[in-house]
Amino acid sequence: MTENSWNPQNPQRPQGESEPNPAPADQDQTVPLNTAYPGDQGRSAYGSFGAYQPQSAPNAPYEATAAPYSANAGYENQAQKRKPGFKTLTAVALLSALLGGGTGGAVVAASDFSPASSIASLSSGTTIVNNTDSVNAVTAAAAKATSSTVTISAVSTSESGSGSGVVLDDEGHILTNTHVVTLDGATASAEIEVQLSDGSVRTASVVGTDPTSDLAVIKLNDVSGLTLTPASLGDSGNLNVGDTAIAIGAPLGLENTVTTGIVSNLVRTIEVESSAVDEQQTDSSAQQDPFGSSPFQFEMPGQQSQSSTNSTISINVIQTDAAVNPGNSGGALVNADGEVIGINVAIASTDSGSSSSGNIGVGFAIPINYAKRVSQEIIENGSASHGLLGASVSTSPANNDQSEAFGDGALIQEVVSGAAADQAGLRNGDVVVAVDGRSISEATELTAAVREAAAGSKVSLTVNRNGSIQDVDVTLGDSRDAG
């Protein structure tokens, strides 16, 4: 083997959230506290999606793209934006371990500073390795995962936008965000095109959307002549804070872009505006934050100013500092092995007065274990199910109910007669402090945990009842039965 050759064999890796009356308890509700507790009010610090990139017109030139580099990090929507509420070891061994085979392609590399020279390189989609002697884990993971990541264009009669997606199978099913394919909830009939990592373009149709999780599945209308590479799905339940996190997608329409960072937090819950089309409010409160504008916000490019009458959704997410920008929504967050560990969905912004934002090192992705369940149910049934507790809840203030900034659980204010909570023996005044071992300090966290579970599934709630801690098993209802 020559010095600059790549050997697909020998797969080794280097080590390397005055109190109003509770809402009618016919569905899970989050209600505000007496005090202006920020965690119960739309949590504007986590208020909008961030990976959708809007554009001013479907066929506008690149210079005419409305979303600047400071725009929202997930979905790029091309209409007026709405602001939401809130060493190396040997390169050969490394690449072989992640790619599992294949051949290197010779290319001619040229720069402005030296004559063109022929070198050995490997290209996976458009992830190009020009120097196989300096390949690191990120390069190898990107080479493996980029071919499974696509760019999505959605166009309606009045607006258009682009986002990203992940190939699920060789039948052409692609996982993305609901806010990408509905243009932030503006339409249920957008025309969708998909560009694969190799440049091939196909039209696609929506198989189903799931606004509760902001996930959606689309399917290519014609897969003939295509070689699809289904993504390798990891296990988000095995992640550690500090693990390598690599975001792949099309920020600002720049397809096959790779950025890297770490897993910053694994127990984060965000509350964002729903992208359902003509949806009914089914999750949390959509009331205005009594504290006013948060120092952080999420923005979904293309959204108008978030209205207090719009419904919101609560989602448990992976937090990462890998750069996520407009257009990354629906794209892959992968680990150092090139396995998808999350679906990029939102970013935080410090500029609450602007309708555009960009990456500040606080991005969020939907855990792949949750996304896997939802996508499988959409493919099989056209929709996904979500749990329903059947109670109105608010955040229980910490520090003996004196804190105006921190919570120590989700206070059950009213239990619906005959619903899951009632059948399990939960009572008004109980404070839920954990769900299946995951700590709960705010009402939105309980909402997110219940919705993440499938309808009919059993969860274990740790409850503080008048100072006594006990575990209560609950068989959840179906959120679709909520009034």
Side-chain angles (χ1 to χ4, degrees):
M1 181 167 95
T2 63
E3 180 180 356
N4 289 322
S5 298
W6 172 68
N7 182 359
Q9 306 305 318
N10 188 25
Q12 305 172 23
R13 292 200 46 76
Q15 297 172 348
E17 186 209 105
S18 69
E19 175 175 324
N21 293 325
D26 57 350
Q27 59 189 28
D28 293 350
Q29 294 279 344
T30 302
V31 298
L33 293 172
N34 255 342
T35 55
Y37 184 79
D40 279 325
Q41 303 294 342
R43 198 137 169 103
S44 58
Y46 310 121
S48 79
F49 297 105
Y52 167 81
Q53 177 68 21
Q55 299 169 357
S56 53
N59 299 314
Y62 183 79
E63 298 78 33
T65 298
Y69 279 89
S70 61
N72 203 301
Y75 158 80
E76 189 171 34
N77 181 355
Q78 284 143 324
Q80 182 183 5
K81 300 176 187 169
R82 291 174 285 164
K83 183 180 67 177
F86 304 109
K87 339 173 228 223
T88 55
L89 292 180
T90 64
V92 169
L94 188 57
L95 284 171
S96 177
L98 291 184
L99 298 180
T103 58
V107 299
V108 174
S111 75
D112 293 335
F113 307 104
S114 62
S117 60
S118 180
I119 64 172
S121 72
L122 171 72
S123 175
S124 173
T126 56
T127 300
I128 298 175
V129 179
N130 286 321
N131 185 349
T132 58
D133 289 331
S134 65
V135 171
N136 58 30
V138 173
T139 307
K144 175 180 180 179
T146 299
S147 58
S148 304
T149 306
V150 304
T151 303
I152 298 172
S153 169
V155 180
S156 71
T157 56
S158 59
E159 57 188 304
S160 65
S162 66
S164 304
V166 174
V167 177
L168 293 176
D169 54 38
D170 55 13
E171 296 179 6
H173 289 105
I174 294 169
L175 177 61
T176 185
N177 292 136
T178 290
H179 72 262
V180 172
V181 299
T182 66
L183 293 167
D184 302 338
T187 180
S189 57
E191 294 182 2
I192 298 179
E193 280 191 313
V194 175
Q195 184 180 52
L196 304 179
S197 64
D198 65 359
S200 301
V201 176
R202 293 290 190 275
T203 60
S205 301
V206 176
V207 177
T209 61
D210 184 56
T212 298
S213 63
D214 193 46
L215 292 167
V217 175
I218 62 175
K219 185 179 181 182
L220 300 178
N221 294 327
D222 180 12
V223 297
S224 60
L226 298 178
T227 301
L228 298 176
T229 305
S232 224
L233 304 185
D235 183 354
S236 51
N238 285 336
L239 292 175
N240 297 318
V241 169
D243 283 354
T244 296
I246 304 161
I248 305 177
L252 302 170
L254 303 173
E255 69 276 2
N256 301 316
T257 294
V258 177
T259 58
T260 185
I262 63 168
V263 173
S264 305
N265 189 283
L266 288 165
V267 288
R268 189 71 67 213
T269 301
I270 63 173
E271 188 170 16
V272 293
E273 186 177 350
S274 172
S275 287
V277 180
D278 296 327
E279 85 284 5
Q280 298 291 325
Q281 179 175 333
T282 57
D283 266 321
S284 0
S285 91
Q287 302 170 15
Q288 233 173 3
D289 186 347
F291 275 8
S293 296
S294 165
F296 296 96
Q297 69 179 12
F298 291 96
E299 295 179 351
M300 188 192 305
Q303 282 189 322
Q304 305 297 326
S305 296
Q306 185 177 27
S307 166
S308 62
T309 61
N310 289 339
S311 68
T312 58
I313 59 174
S314 298
I315 317 173
N316 288 330
V317 291
I318 299 167
Q319 180 179 327
T320 180
D321 67 350
V324 178
N325 286 289
N328 272 116
S329 274
L333 187 71
V334 307
N335 60 19
D337 293 320
E339 299 170 329
V340 180
I341 55 173
I343 301 299
N344 297 316
V345 64
I347 61 168
S349 169
T350 57
D351 188 358
S352 61
S354 171
S355 63
S356 63
S357 66
N359 173 68
I360 59 169
V362 185
F364 302 94
I366 301 167
I368 194 60
N369 289 3
Y370 182 23
K372 188 186 305 184
R373 176 185 76 79
V374 170
S375 63
Q376 288 174 343
E377 290 188 18
I378 290 175
I379 292 172
E380 293 173 3
N381 309 314
S383 63
S385 69
H386 298 276
L388 180 72
L389 185 59
S392 295
V393 299
S394 67
T395 295
S396 172
N399 191 24
N400 295 319
D401 294 340
Q402 299 302 306
S403 179
E404 297 184 5
F406 303 102
D408 60 7
L411 173 65
I412 296 181
Q413 294 199 348
E414 186 177 358
V415 173
V416 179
S417 177
D422 183 37
Q423 292 179 9
L426 293 174
R427 306 174 186 171
N428 298 349
D430 285 348
V431 177
V432 179
V433 297
V435 177
D436 287 339
R438 176 173 175 144
S439 178
I440 299 295
S441 61
E442 298 178 5
T444 54
E445 295 174 355
L446 176 58
T447 299
V450 168
R451 292 294 189 263
E452 188 170 341
S457 61
K458 182 178 290 187
V459 297
S460 177
L461 305 187
T462 302
V463 176
N464 183 338
R465 179 176 293 170
N466 299 322
S468 174
I469 303 298
Q470 53 189 280
D471 291 329
V472 178
D473 290 334
V474 182
T475 300
L476 298 173
D478 192 325
S479 64
R480 290 171 291 195
D481 296 333

